[in-house]
Amino acid sequence: MPLQTPETRVTAPPAPKTLEDMQLPLVMMRDILLKTMFRKNVDMVSDVAEAICLPTQVTQELIDMAREQRLLEATGTLNANSGNEMGYQLTDAGKARALDALAQSEYFGAMPVPLHVYDQQIKRQSIRDIQITRTQLTDAMGHLILPDSLLDHLGPAVSAGRSILMYGPPGNGKSSISNGIRKAMGDKVYVPRAIEYAGQVITVYDPIVHSKAEAEVDDPNSLRRRRGFDRRYVRCDRPTVVTGGELTLDMLDLVYNPTARTYQAPLQLKAAGGIFIVDDLGRQQESPQALVNRWIVPLEEGRDILALQSGEKFETPFDTLVIFSTNFHPNEIFDQAALRRIFFKIKIDGPDQENFLKIFALVAKQRGMPLDEATLVHLLKRKYPSIDNVYANYQPVFLIDQMISICNFEGIPHQMSPELIDRAWANMFVKEEHIVK
């Protein structure tokens, strides 16, 4: 498969033309149809089709099958407001079947996509097929001042779509760089509302995780109207899942809802085609070693193994760029076997003095704070030598915001001075001292 740039349009999943194209059990589709009509109180074919996210002709085929089983009946009236469509309603037997089906699973609405069909779509939009150029990465990181040497390492890592470990002292933009990587991708993918495996429904689309793109609208004036994609999917930005100290191993497993009798996809499956960021690695309840051990197979083979309530295990695609971000040195939290599984290791250091001044000037401009040469000399010659001239990316923002707060409190125009820098500096570090209890 040829590499794609972020401008390349991902191939959309084709809409099914017949019930056979669905590749789902007929009984499952029929029951979801009945449950949806019962729960949503829809009776026109077009409304039912929208509710179960299928083309009208496939929906009609499903309705005809249910009519043959005497679970649905035509109302005998045409609705002028719905293009003279025939209405349908559940028979008594249909209502009884809908209630029985709801007792087995509360899921209704969009028809799920079979797992093996979704696997084909994952391959069409694989994150490993994206080619990020230096220009695209630089543009996405435009709000950050980074050394060229960092982009030299970061670019190939992102384009490879393999796991990345970013490490280094805190406050130097590891999280911002991770978000910039996501922005550099820029294209759209198709996320299934739900997938099906062994007759079980697993919901995937999550409005909290997935940013829905604008709906594609057919142009009625076009001589050849655009074919719509399979509406069981939602067109979204490439997803980004960010976790921190709250990440636990059970969050990487299927979540079973015993009331609804359905499953919710784990975080890494929701992140398919996108980025999974594990921030503050080493702060979780689980050890970093345990987290990487859980992902040995996914990271190496591009597939994950999940388990149903019954204990049955099955494979799902693992097409995710995993970014680990930590303030610890890798040798402190991983053994060599675990480090070998992480494809790229990139150290994120603090800026040198030249880049520090660029960041300071940029933040001052953004905040409307006039620069003062005497203050900068005081900062570089008196304050930073006291901490061995160790600069960090967060410090300009911290110091300038502190001075703005002091100016607001004192009722004076926003300005910087050696005195204000001293007051701001005192809030940036805590002195070691003995506290008498």
Side-chain angles (χ1 to χ4, degrees):
M1 184 176 291
L3 293 177
Q4 302 170 343
T5 65
E7 287 78 16
T8 304
R9 186 181 179 87
V10 167
T11 302
K17 297 179 181 179
T18 66
L19 277 183
E20 188 177 354
D21 290 345
M22 298 287 292
Q23 302 184 52
L24 286 170
L26 287 175
V27 171
M28 168 181 267
M29 290 191 287
R30 181 204 66 192
D31 286 351
I32 291 177
L33 169 73
L34 298 176
K35 289 187 288 184
T36 303
M37 292 181 70
F38 182 80
R39 285 291 196 215
K40 291 198 169 186
N41 194 30
V42 287
D43 54 6
M44 309 308 294
V45 177
S46 58
D47 293 335
V48 174
E50 183 177 352
I52 62 177
C53 299
L54 292 183
T56 303
Q57 69 270 21
V58 180
T59 304
Q60 184 67 62
E61 196 177 344
L62 193 55
I63 287 175
D64 291 343
M65 182 184 74
R67 286 185 70 193
E68 290 175 5
Q69 298 174 7
R70 298 185 179 180
L71 300 172
L72 288 179
E73 61 185 2
T75 59
T77 57
L78 296 175
N79 190 324
N81 294 328
S82 301
N84 289 324
E85 289 185 59
M86 178 68 72
Y88 296 91
Q89 64 185 14
L90 275 67
T91 62
D92 290 341
K95 292 177 182 177
R97 180 58 212 162
L99 290 170
D100 285 344
L102 285 166
Q104 296 172 29
S105 169
E106 278 283 342
Y107 183 83
F108 64 91
M111 288 288 172
V113 178
L115 177 59
H116 69 277
V117 175
Y118 174 48
D119 189 41
Q120 296 168 15
Q121 182 59 31
I122 284 288
K123 292 173 182 175
R124 295 187 194 105
Q125 59 194 31
S126 175
I127 197 163
R128 297 192 181 187
D129 292 332
I130 292 181
Q131 180 63 54
I132 300 292
T133 66
R134 180 181 290 272
T135 299
Q136 290 159 347
L137 196 56
T138 301
D139 290 346
M141 304 284 185
H143 61 299
L144 302 174
I145 294 176
L146 304 171
D148 290 338
S149 60
L150 176 58
L151 295 181
D152 292 342
H153 296 291
L154 201 58
V158 175
S159 292
R162 305 293 291 270
S163 53
I164 301 173
L165 172 64
M166 293 193 295
Y167 67 97
N172 284 311
K174 291 186 289 295
S175 298
S176 298
I177 291 170
S178 299
N179 292 327
I181 291 172
R182 156 66 191 86
K183 184 179 177 182
M185 292 177 176
D187 59 345
K188 313 297 180 187
V189 294
Y190 296 86
V191 179
R193 301 174 194 272
I195 57 177
E196 175 271 342
Y197 174 78
Q200 301 297 317
V201 176
I202 304 167
T203 58
V204 179
Y205 174 70
D206 183 344
I208 296 175
V209 170
H210 301 108
S211 298
K212 186 176 181 180
E214 289 183 330
E216 293 184 356
V217 180
D218 288 335
D219 181 1
N221 298 317
S222 175
L223 292 176
R224 186 173 180 177
R225 299 180 72 188
R226 245 180 347 198
R227 290 177 71 110
F229 60 84
D230 188 340
R231 297 296 171 176
R232 292 177 294 167
Y233 292 82
V234 181
R235 188 168 180 261
C236 301
D237 295 328
R238 287 192 179 267
T240 301
V241 173
V242 183
T243 64
E246 77 282 2
L247 179 63
T248 58
L249 285 175
D250 59 9
M251 294 168 69
L252 305 179
D253 295 329
L254 287 173
V255 178
Y256 181 68
N257 184 327
T259 303
R261 293 181 175 84
T262 59
Y263 293 86
Q264 184 178 116
L267 294 175
Q268 70 274 19
L269 188 52
K270 291 181 179 181
I275 303 175
F276 192 119
I277 301 172
V278 183
D279 210 356
D280 285 331
L281 187 65
R283 306 292 184 190
Q284 291 79 14
Q285 181 180 348
E286 315 285 355
S287 71
Q289 187 77 40
L291 289 172
V292 172
N293 286 345
R294 166 62 179 81
W295 274 339
I296 285 177
V297 171
L299 290 176
E300 290 191 340
E301 301 183 17
R303 60 185 179 88
D304 198 6
I305 299 175
L306 301 176
L308 299 173
Q309 281 287 103
S310 62
E312 179 182 355
K313 294 184 179 180
F314 63 101
E315 292 184 3
T316 60
F318 188 87
D319 187 71
T320 306
L321 172 61
V322 181
I323 301 178
F324 299 101
S325 174
T326 183
N327 299 331
F328 296 95
H329 192 281
N331 291 337
E332 296 177 8
I333 54 178
F334 293 121
D335 61 22
Q336 291 305 306
L339 278 176
R340 190 174 68 249
R341 263 90 185 193
I342 302 176
F343 208 71
F344 293 92
K345 296 91 173 172
I346 301 175
K347 187 176 183 183
I348 310 296
D349 278 320
D352 57 18
Q353 187 179 96
E354 180 183 355
N355 279 336
F356 171 83
L357 288 173
K358 288 180 180 178
I359 297 170
F360 196 94
L362 179 63
V363 174
K365 182 179 180 180
Q366 291 171 343
R367 300 290 198 272
M369 171 73 82
L371 290 172
D372 177 72
E373 184 177 355
T375 302
L376 291 175
V377 170
H378 177 74
L379 182 63
L380 297 179
K381 300 298 184 183
R382 299 293 298 273
K383 308 310 292 185
Y384 273 99
S386 68
I387 58 168
D388 298 324
N389 293 314
V390 176
Y391 302 95
N393 286 318
Y394 80 93
Q395 292 166 350
V397 175
F398 185 94
L399 291 170
I400 290 172
D401 284 350
Q402 284 280 330
M403 287 189 285
I404 289 173
S405 296
I406 295 170
C407 290
N408 290 340
F409 174 73
E410 300 291 355
I412 59 177
H414 292 176
Q415 58 189 277
M416 57 179 66
S417 67
E419 179 191 359
L420 289 173
I421 277 288
D422 287 344
R423 292 176 66 177
W425 186 272
N427 285 324
M428 195 160 65
F429 299 102
V430 178
K431 293 182 179 179
E432 291 288 343
E433 57 183 351
H434 178 70
I435 299 176
V436 180
K437 297 181 179 179

